[in-house]
């Protein structure tokens, strides 16, 4: 079972990866980051995307949906942002955040690879 650093490194191997983070949903803190740069602060993105997950969970509760979030996709002009909550027993309350360059990424393949990373992650 890969640990956090290996999982983040694997996420950065996905074609088009700009940055990846493992995030605690309750605090918004990035537990680990890979990639990014001075113009793309992954810690800020991690905290802000925590609000996205919280809002979706509140909406699902109001609608009475008894489903799990598989992933959340945000499409920008030049980027994809994927948010994947962890479902394993050791990853409850955490999510993987992955930013991709839209011109270089294959979205379907990226989602598949992120699912594989998530399923093998042991925190």
């Amino acid at each position: 079972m890969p640990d956090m650093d290996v999982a983040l490194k694997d996420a950065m191997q996905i074609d088009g990866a700009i940055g990846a983070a493992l995030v605690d949903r309750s605090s918004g803190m990035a537990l680990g980051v890979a990639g990014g740069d001075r113009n793309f602060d992954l810690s800020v993105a991690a905290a802000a995307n925590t609000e996205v997950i919280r809002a979706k969970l509140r909406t699902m509760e109001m609608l009475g949906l008894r489903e799990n979030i598989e992933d959340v996709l945000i499409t920008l002009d030049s980027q994809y942002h994927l948010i994947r909550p962890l479902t394993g027993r050791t990853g409850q309350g955490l999510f993987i955040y992955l930013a991709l360059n839209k011109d270089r990424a294959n979205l379907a393949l990226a989602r598949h690879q992120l699912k594989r990373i998530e399923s093998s992650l042991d925190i």
Side-chain angles (χ1 to χ4, degrees):
M1 298 263 180
D3 67 0
M4 175 181 58
D5 293 330
V6 172
L8 291 171
K9 182 179 175 188
D10 288 348
M12 289 304 296
Q13 297 304 309
I14 296 173
D15 285 342
I18 297 169
L22 182 65
V23 185
D24 177 7
R25 187 175 71 211
S26 63
S27 68
M29 295 217 25
L31 305 176
V33 296
D37 60 32
R38 69 184 191 330
N39 295 317
F40 195 90
D41 187 332
L42 283 163
S43 295
V44 171
N49 281 299
T50 299
E51 293 304 317
V52 172
I53 289 290
R54 289 178 185 161
K56 187 59 189 172
L57 289 170
R58 281 191 307 271
T59 302
M60 290 171 58
E61 184 178 339
M62 287 187 290
L63 294 172
L65 296 175
R66 307 250 184 264
E67 306 245 354
N68 293 315
I69 298 172
E70 196 170 300
D71 56 37
V72 175
L73 168 65
I74 300 168
T75 305
L76 305 177
D77 291 337
S78 64
Q79 297 175 2
Y80 295 123
H81 292 224
L82 282 168
I83 303 167
R84 184 170 186 88
L86 301 186
T87 57
R89 62 178 173 74
T90 61
Q92 293 297 313
L94 304 177
F95 66 88
I96 299 174
Y97 167 69
L98 177 66
L100 299 162
N101 179 308
K102 198 173 182 181
D103 292 334
R104 294 184 37 230
N106 176 322
L107 183 57
L109 186 56
R111 289 183 68 225
H112 176 73
Q113 290 172 308
L114 202 56
K115 182 178 180 178
R116 179 189 51 77
I117 291 167
E118 184 261 332
S119 69
S120 65
L121 185 60
D122 188 22
I123 300 296

PDB file of all heavy atoms in Angstrom, residues 21-40:
ATOM      1  N   ALA A  21      -2.634  17.390  -4.196  1.00  0.00           N
ATOM      2  CA  ALA A  21      -2.593  17.550  -2.743  1.00  0.00           C
ATOM      3  C   ALA A  21      -3.498  16.515  -2.095  1.00  0.00           C
ATOM      4  O   ALA A  21      -4.513  16.120  -2.674  1.00  0.00           O
ATOM      5  CB  ALA A  21      -3.037  18.951  -2.340  1.00  0.00           C
ATOM      6  N   LEU A  22      -3.109  16.098  -0.913  1.00  0.00           N
ATOM      7  CA  LEU A  22      -3.968  15.274  -0.066  1.00  0.00           C
ATOM      8  C   LEU A  22      -4.464  16.213   1.031  1.00  0.00           C
ATOM      9  O   LEU A  22      -3.657  16.862   1.706  1.00  0.00           O
ATOM     10  CB  LEU A  22      -3.197  14.100   0.532  1.00  0.00           C
ATOM     11  CG  LEU A  22      -4.035  13.157   1.387  1.00  0.00           C
ATOM     12  CD1 LEU A  22      -5.081  12.446   0.531  1.00  0.00           C
ATOM     13  CD2 LEU A  22      -3.158  12.150   2.082  1.00  0.00           C
ATOM     14  N   VAL A  23      -5.788  16.292   1.173  1.00  0.00           N
ATOM     15  CA  VAL A  23      -6.389  17.358   1.987  1.00  0.00           C
ATOM     16  C   VAL A  23      -7.308  16.783   3.053  1.00  0.00           C
ATOM     17  O   VAL A  23      -8.071  15.845   2.784  1.00  0.00           O
ATOM     18  CB  VAL A  23      -7.182  18.330   1.083  1.00  0.00           C
ATOM     19  CG1 VAL A  23      -7.708  19.510   1.876  1.00  0.00           C
ATOM     20  CG2 VAL A  23      -6.337  18.796  -0.093  1.00  0.00           C
ATOM     21  N   ASP A  24      -7.244  17.373   4.241  1.00  0.00           N
ATOM     22  CA  ASP A  24      -8.156  17.040   5.336  1.00  0.00           C
ATOM     23  C   ASP A  24      -9.406  17.897   5.162  1.00  0.00           C
ATOM     24  O   ASP A  24      -9.341  19.126   5.231  1.00  0.00           O
ATOM     25  CB  ASP A  24      -7.488  17.335   6.668  1.00  0.00           C
ATOM     26  CG  ASP A  24      -8.388  17.100   7.864  1.00  0.00           C
ATOM     27  OD1 ASP A  24      -9.510  16.574   7.695  1.00  0.00           O
ATOM     28  OD2 ASP A  24      -7.973  17.444   8.982  1.00  0.00           O
ATOM     29  N   ARG A  25     -10.551  17.233   4.937  1.00  0.00           N
ATOM     30  CA  ARG A  25     -11.798  17.944   4.665  1.00  0.00           C
ATOM     31  C   ARG A  25     -12.288  18.756   5.857  1.00  0.00           C
ATOM     32  O   ARG A  25     -12.909  19.799   5.690  1.00  0.00           O
ATOM     33  CB  ARG A  25     -12.862  16.933   4.228  1.00  0.00           C
ATOM     34  CG  ARG A  25     -14.134  17.568   3.772  1.00  0.00           C
ATOM     35  CD  ARG A  25     -15.112  16.563   3.229  1.00  0.00           C
ATOM     36  NE  ARG A  25     -15.638  15.747   4.304  1.00  0.00           N
ATOM     37  CZ  ARG A  25     -16.014  14.496   4.175  1.00  0.00           C
ATOM     38  NH1 ARG A  25     -15.900  13.884   3.027  1.00  0.00           N
ATOM     39  NH2 ARG A  25     -16.511  13.843   5.191  1.00  0.00           N
ATOM     40  N   SER A  26     -12.019  18.322   7.058  1.00  0.00           N
ATOM     41  CA  SER A  26     -12.533  19.045   8.227  1.00  0.00           C
ATOM     42  C   SER A  26     -11.784  20.353   8.477  1.00  0.00           C
ATOM     43  O   SER A  26     -12.385  21.351   8.883  1.00  0.00           O
ATOM     44  CB  SER A  26     -12.507  18.163   9.474  1.00  0.00           C
ATOM     45  OG  SER A  26     -11.188  17.798   9.789  1.00  0.00           O
ATOM     46  N   SER A  27     -10.494  20.374   8.216  1.00  0.00           N
ATOM     47  CA  SER A  27      -9.711  21.583   8.487  1.00  0.00           C
ATOM     48  C   SER A  27      -9.351  22.370   7.229  1.00  0.00           C
ATOM     49  O   SER A  27      -9.013  23.552   7.321  1.00  0.00           O
ATOM     50  CB  SER A  27      -8.416  21.221   9.217  1.00  0.00           C
ATOM     51  OG  SER A  27      -7.555  20.503   8.349  1.00  0.00           O
ATOM     52  N   GLY A  28      -9.367  21.721   6.076  1.00  0.00           N
ATOM     53  CA  GLY A  28      -8.935  22.369   4.839  1.00  0.00           C
ATOM     54  C   GLY A  28      -7.434  22.383   4.669  1.00  0.00           C
ATOM     55  O   GLY A  28      -6.914  22.948   3.703  1.00  0.00           O
ATOM     56  N   MET A  29      -6.716  21.752   5.594  1.00  0.00           N
ATOM     57  CA  MET A  29      -5.248  21.733   5.524  1.00  0.00           C
ATOM     58  C   MET A  29      -4.760  20.672   4.544  1.00  0.00           C
ATOM     59  O   MET A  29      -5.269  19.563   4.525  1.00  0.00           O
ATOM     60  CB  MET A  29      -4.648  21.449   6.900  1.00  0.00           C
ATOM     61  CG  MET A  29      -4.937  22.552   7.865  1.00  0.00           C
ATOM     62  SD  MET A  29      -3.629  22.946   9.015  1.00  0.00           S
ATOM     63  CE  MET A  29      -2.146  22.469   8.282  1.00  0.00           C
ATOM     64  N   ALA A  30      -3.767  21.061   3.748  1.00  0.00           N
ATOM     65  CA  ALA A  30      -3.104  20.106   2.868  1.00  0.00           C
ATOM     66  C   ALA A  30      -2.128  19.302   3.716  1.00  0.00           C
ATOM     67  O   ALA A  30      -1.229  19.861   4.339  1.00  0.00           O
ATOM     68  CB  ALA A  30      -2.374  20.834   1.751  1.00  0.00           C
ATOM     69  N   LEU A  31      -2.314  17.987   3.754  1.00  0.00           N
ATOM     70  CA  LEU A  31      -1.413  17.110   4.494  1.00  0.00           C
ATOM     71  C   LEU A  31      -0.136  16.843   3.713  1.00  0.00           C
ATOM     72  O   LEU A  31       0.891  16.531   4.291  1.00  0.00           O
ATOM     73  CB  LEU A  31      -2.119  15.802   4.830  1.00  0.00           C
ATOM     74  CG  LEU A  31      -3.441  15.942   5.590  1.00  0.00           C
ATOM     75  CD1 LEU A  31      -4.088  14.585   5.787  1.00  0.00           C
ATOM     76  CD2 LEU A  31      -3.213  16.647   6.915  1.00  0.00           C
ATOM     77  N   GLY A  32      -0.244  16.967   2.402  1.00  0.00           N
ATOM     78  CA  GLY A  32       0.905  16.790   1.528  1.00  0.00           C
ATOM     79  C   GLY A  32       0.600  17.406   0.183  1.00  0.00           C
ATOM     80  O   GLY A  32      -0.555  17.443  -0.236  1.00  0.00           O
ATOM     81  N   VAL A  33       1.624  17.941  -0.474  1.00  0.00           N
ATOM     82  CA  VAL A  33       1.457  18.542  -1.795  1.00  0.00           C
ATOM     83  C   VAL A  33       2.596  18.115  -2.701  1.00  0.00           C
ATOM     84  O   VAL A  33       3.695  17.794  -2.236  1.00  0.00           O
ATOM     85  CB  VAL A  33       1.395  20.088  -1.733  1.00  0.00           C
ATOM     86  CG1 VAL A  33       0.189  20.556  -0.959  1.00  0.00           C
ATOM     87  CG2 VAL A  33       2.659  20.671  -1.167  1.00  0.00           C
ATOM     88  N   ALA A  34       2.312  18.140  -4.002  1.00  0.00           N
ATOM     89  CA  ALA A  34       3.337  17.890  -5.013  1.00  0.00           C
ATOM     90  C   ALA A  34       3.017  18.790  -6.198  1.00  0.00           C
ATOM     91  O   ALA A  34       1.854  18.973  -6.555  1.00  0.00           O
ATOM     92  CB  ALA A  34       3.342  16.426  -5.435  1.00  0.00           C
ATOM     93  N   GLY A  35       4.046  19.367  -6.780  1.00  0.00           N
ATOM     94  CA  GLY A  35       3.842  20.247  -7.930  1.00  0.00           C
ATOM     95  C   GLY A  35       3.444  21.638  -7.501  1.00  0.00           C
ATOM     96  O   GLY A  35       3.750  22.081  -6.396  1.00  0.00           O
ATOM     97  N   GLY A  36       2.728  22.316  -8.395  1.00  0.00           N
ATOM     98  CA  GLY A  36       2.372  23.705  -8.137  1.00  0.00           C
ATOM     99  C   GLY A  36       3.575  24.605  -8.360  1.00  0.00           C
ATOM    100  O   GLY A  36       4.659  24.153  -8.706  1.00  0.00           O
ATOM    101  N   ASP A  37       3.376  25.882  -8.196  1.00  0.00           N
ATOM    102  CA  ASP A  37       4.469  26.856  -8.290  1.00  0.00           C
ATOM    103  C   ASP A  37       4.044  28.139  -7.585  1.00  0.00           C
ATOM    104  O   ASP A  37       2.995  28.176  -6.950  1.00  0.00           O
ATOM    105  CB  ASP A  37       4.877  27.112  -9.751  1.00  0.00           C
ATOM    106  CG  ASP A  37       3.751  27.658 -10.613  1.00  0.00           C
ATOM    107  OD1 ASP A  37       2.878  28.392 -10.094  1.00  0.00           O
ATOM    108  OD2 ASP A  37       3.747  27.364 -11.820  1.00  0.00           O
ATOM    109  N   ARG A  38       4.825  29.189  -7.724  1.00  0.00           N
ATOM    110  CA  ARG A  38       4.507  30.424  -7.004  1.00  0.00           C
ATOM    111  C   ARG A  38       3.209  31.057  -7.481  1.00  0.00           C
ATOM    112  O   ARG A  38       2.582  31.826  -6.759  1.00  0.00           O
ATOM    113  CB  ARG A  38       5.662  31.415  -7.070  1.00  0.00           C
ATOM    114  CG  ARG A  38       5.940  32.013  -8.415  1.00  0.00           C
ATOM    115  CD  ARG A  38       7.175  32.893  -8.353  1.00  0.00           C
ATOM    116  NE  ARG A  38       7.530  33.753  -9.401  1.00  0.00           N
ATOM    117  CZ  ARG A  38       7.322  33.658 -10.700  1.00  0.00           C
ATOM    118  NH1 ARG A  38       6.654  32.663 -11.173  1.00  0.00           N
ATOM    119  NH2 ARG A  38       7.761  34.542 -11.563  1.00  0.00           N
ATOM    120  N   ASN A  39       2.765  30.713  -8.690  1.00  0.00           N
ATOM    121  CA  ASN A  39       1.507  31.236  -9.212  1.00  0.00           C
ATOM    122  C   ASN A  39       0.329  30.296  -8.946  1.00  0.00           C
ATOM    123  O   ASN A  39      -0.808  30.636  -9.264  1.00  0.00           O
ATOM    124  CB  ASN A  39       1.612  31.480 -10.721  1.00  0.00           C
ATOM    125  CG  ASN A  39       2.620  32.555 -11.051  1.00  0.00           C
ATOM    126  OD1 ASN A  39       2.670  33.585 -10.384  1.00  0.00           O
ATOM    127  ND2 ASN A  39       3.442  32.305 -12.048  1.00  0.00           N
ATOM    128  N   PHE A  40       0.633  29.124  -8.409  1.00  0.00           N
ATOM    129  CA  PHE A  40      -0.420  28.137  -8.148  1.00  0.00           C
ATOM    130  C   PHE A  40      -0.140  27.509  -6.788  1.00  0.00           C
ATOM    131  O   PHE A  40       0.536  26.486  -6.685  1.00  0.00           O
ATOM    132  CB  PHE A  40      -0.425  27.062  -9.252  1.00  0.00           C
ATOM    133  CG  PHE A  40      -1.669  26.232  -9.247  1.00  0.00           C
ATOM    134  CD1 PHE A  40      -2.769  26.603  -9.988  1.00  0.00           C
ATOM    135  CD2 PHE A  40      -1.744  25.070  -8.496  1.00  0.00           C
ATOM    136  CE1 PHE A  40      -3.921  25.833  -9.984  1.00  0.00           C
ATOM    137  CE2 PHE A  40      -2.890  24.307  -8.475  1.00  0.00           C
ATOM    138  CZ  PHE A  40      -3.985  24.679  -9.224  1.00  0.00           C
TER     139      PHE A  40
END
